[in-house]
Amino acid sequence: MPTKKMLEKFAELAVKIGANVQENQPVVVRSSTETTELAREIVKAAYQAGAKRVEVQWGDEYVSRYGLDFMDLETLKEVPEWVVKRAEHAIESNACFISITSPVPGLNAGVDPVKTQESGKAMMRKLSFFQTHMMGNKAQWTIVAAPNPVWAKKVFPDLTDEDAVEALWDAIFQASRVTEDNDPVQAWETHNETLTKHNEILNSYQFETLHFTNSIGTDITIQLVENHVWAGGNEITTNGVMFNPNIPTEETFTMPHKFGVNGKVVATKPLNYQGNLIEDFWLEFKEGKVIDYDAKKEKQTLKNLIEFDEGSCYLGEIALISHDSPISNSGILFFNTLFDENASCHMALGRAYPMNVKNGIHMDPEALAAIGYNHSMAHSDFMFGSEDMHIVGKTKEGKEVVIFENGNFVI
Ligand code: ZN
Ligand code: ZN
């Protein structure tokens, strides 16, 4: 375990920079039973920051696995009314949300994919109002990570359980800009300023398309929606509170046009989806839609993702990250999107973020659809950046601007 001091610093970061808990605001902490120490520190830090009431919603990945094994499909598709009520109550009371992610890689291997798919769909359907609330930035929310032994061993297979957990804590702290002698809150204020500057440069170009090429077969053109907004780092809720949805974050991202994606993209890191690891895969798009794909491992899982719903075969996000970034430089493959997506350029299949278009968070679903927004209950990031990634942006006037050379920003 890390020292109490490091845990306190990390918790303070989640509360002050992540969710930015406001005076007298209720807080919902979502934690795995694997990460109780951090959850407790976050609860304490939230009260110290003025939280009115802090509620912890515990989850346990192993309990969930038994559920998938033993419940029949019909039962799995029933979402208890109290789960819906709980989410409604959190929204009504203007709560903010702090999630601690601690995935157990490979835990769901061997589960009937229909069960995973159908129970996931039922849950997302019932709670789509909640997802709309969060993704529309109606409340502050943040995700931080903490290790568990299985995940740690997956990242550091040569270490003992205990050493692996220790090493993963160190890697998480480093990626999250928490060190023994820094003030992480201060460090993040500086980091947010840097990301904001990058967004401003890209926003001023208003590129019509981006063309991505590299030596392993990626050759894809992505049209961006008109009046798109590059975002990344801190965000602002509809009532004006700043927050950082992801700790760590290195990305600057925007909205692709749902029907404007053409070409092939080759993934450069595995994708953990529904507890399974999809490896060595590629996707081919035509007019926005995935028309062909393959994976050396877990092709069925990739199929599940692509066929999840009507929008999950279209893109909802394109994100740029220099190959020369702290997480990428650490050389560690975390097997967790929160980290790996910040090591590499990525795109997401599924739902787009309304804030990635001017005035988007105030548009209704019809208005969003009309500008090329992709609606889906899924949102899965996958990484395709490489050290030789080349990106050229093309403006409305036809002017070409090199954005990335040899994997890094050059503008
Ligand atoms: Zn992203
Ligand atoms: Zn994403």
Side-chain angles (χ1 to χ4, degrees):
M1 277 303 293
T3 62
K4 175 108 173 143
K5 183 181 145 202
M6 287 296 276
L7 271 185
E8 280 174 351
K9 280 179 137 183
F10 194 37
E12 193 193 0
L13 180 66
V15 166
K16 289 196 174 159
I17 289 288
N20 190 8
V21 174
Q22 301 292 291
E23 189 70 39
N24 218 27
Q25 185 176 29
V27 179
V28 175
V29 177
R30 292 186 287 192
S31 172
S32 159
T33 48
E34 304 269 349
T35 57
T36 49
E37 291 87 354
L38 179 61
R40 287 172 190 148
E41 290 300 335
I42 286 175
V43 169
K44 187 178 78 184
Y47 280 124
Q48 282 168 343
K52 181 182 182 186
R53 180 194 297 271
V54 186
E55 178 203 323
V56 183
Q57 297 175 1
W58 298 104
D60 184 293
E61 311 245 347
Y62 296 86
V63 170
S64 303
R65 161 83 210 224
Y66 286 133
L68 288 167
D69 282 340
F70 291 100
M71 276 193 269
D72 60 32
L73 188 58
E74 284 316 302
T75 312
L76 279 167
K77 279 158 72 176
E78 288 165 11
V79 178
E81 210 42 47
W82 68 263
V83 173
V84 177
K85 285 259 151 54
R86 184 172 70 173
E88 283 172 351
H89 175 76
I91 290 176
E92 280 158 18
S93 63
N94 186 35
C96 64
F97 302 84
I98 302 175
S99 298
I100 306 171
T101 173
S102 187
V104 181
L107 180 68
N108 286 348
V111 171
D112 176 1
V114 176
K115 281 184 161 181
T116 324
Q117 184 86 332
E118 291 302 316
S119 59
K121 262 191 201 175
M123 184 66 95
M124 283 184 153
R125 224 175 268 135
K126 274 271 184 160
L127 291 177
S128 72
F129 69 93
F130 186 70
Q131 205 190 11
T132 302
H133 184 80
M134 305 282 268
M135 287 186 89
N137 285 355
K138 301 278 198 296
Q140 319 99 276
W141 56 275
T142 193
I143 307 175
V144 296
N148 63 66
V150 178
W151 177 23
K153 280 288 274 189
K154 176 91 188 169
V155 181
F156 300 104
D158 300 331
L159 301 181
T160 64
D161 277 19
E162 208 175 310
D163 288 352
V165 168
E166 207 64 44
L168 187 51
W169 268 118
D170 287 345
I172 288 171
F173 287 145
Q174 201 198 337
S176 309
R177 294 181 155 76
V178 181
T179 65
E180 285 286 346
D181 41 41
N182 80 340
D183 173 1
V185 173
Q186 174 72 53
W188 270 79
E189 278 163 2
T190 309
H191 179 49
N192 277 331
E193 278 169 29
T194 311
L195 289 170
T196 303
K197 265 185 215 146
H198 239 143
N199 294 333
E200 282 169 1
I201 294 172
L202 286 164
N203 282 334
S204 69
Y205 276 111
Q206 280 296 309
F207 289 117
E208 195 169 58
T209 60
L210 304 178
H211 183 205
F212 298 80
T213 48
N214 69 8
S215 62
I216 56 164
T218 291
D219 186 349
I220 190 167
T221 303
I222 296 181
Q223 184 190 340
L224 305 178
V225 296
E226 228 173 296
N227 294 320
H228 60 265
V229 174
W230 287 92
N234 53 6
E235 292 178 17
I236 297 170
T237 62
T238 44
N239 56 357
V241 183
M242 211 182 257
F243 68 105
N244 269 272
N246 288 347
I247 292 177
T249 187
E250 303 289 334
E251 65 176 330
T252 174
F253 64 101
T254 196
M255 194 191 297
H257 192 289
K258 179 173 181 179
F259 304 112
V261 183
N262 288 286
K264 182 178 174 179
V265 61
V266 181
T268 47
K269 283 180 192 286
L271 167 62
N272 191 5
Y273 181 68
Q274 293 180 336
N276 298 312
L277 211 57
I278 308 164
E279 291 181 63
D280 293 320
F281 64 101
W282 57 263
L283 304 166
E284 197 181 326
F285 293 81
K286 196 177 172 201
E287 287 164 9
K289 193 175 180 177
V290 176
I291 52 160
D292 199 10
Y293 57 90
D294 199 10
K296 287 223 176 87
K297 272 192 192 156
E298 293 291 345
K299 187 175 177 183
Q300 178 62 41
T301 304
L302 181 58
K303 187 171 190 279
N304 279 353
L305 168 58
I306 291 166
E307 295 178 0
F308 187 80
D309 64 15
E310 245 172 86
S312 62
C313 55
Y314 292 92
L315 291 186
E317 177 192 349
I318 175 70
L320 309 184
I321 292 139
S322 279
H323 192 72
D324 182 16
S325 74
I327 298 173
S328 172
N329 289 342
S330 77
I332 297 169
L333 179 61
F334 285 83
F335 299 97
N336 180 336
T337 302
L338 180 61
F339 294 87
D340 294 328
E341 75 163 359
N342 281 303
S344 174
C345 289
H346 59 267
M347 38 183 105
L349 284 169
R351 190 178 185 131
Y353 293 92
M355 62 156 185
N356 281 134
V357 66
K358 225 174 255 168
N359 203 34
I361 54 175
H362 302 295
M363 287 185 191
D364 60 27
E366 290 73 28
L368 282 169
I371 56 107
Y373 170 91
N374 183 35
H375 179 74
S376 169
M377 291 186 292
H379 179 99
S380 272
D381 296 281
F382 64 92
M383 278 55 81
F384 72 99
S386 62
E387 58 180 5
D388 64 345
M389 181 57 71
H390 188 74
I391 310 174
V392 177
K394 202 165 148 187
T395 65
K396 271 194 205 102
E397 298 75 36
K399 191 181 159 207
E400 296 195 343
V401 179
V402 178
I403 304 170
F404 261 51
E405 224 165 337
N406 296 320
N408 294 321
F409 269 109
V410 287
I411 58 168

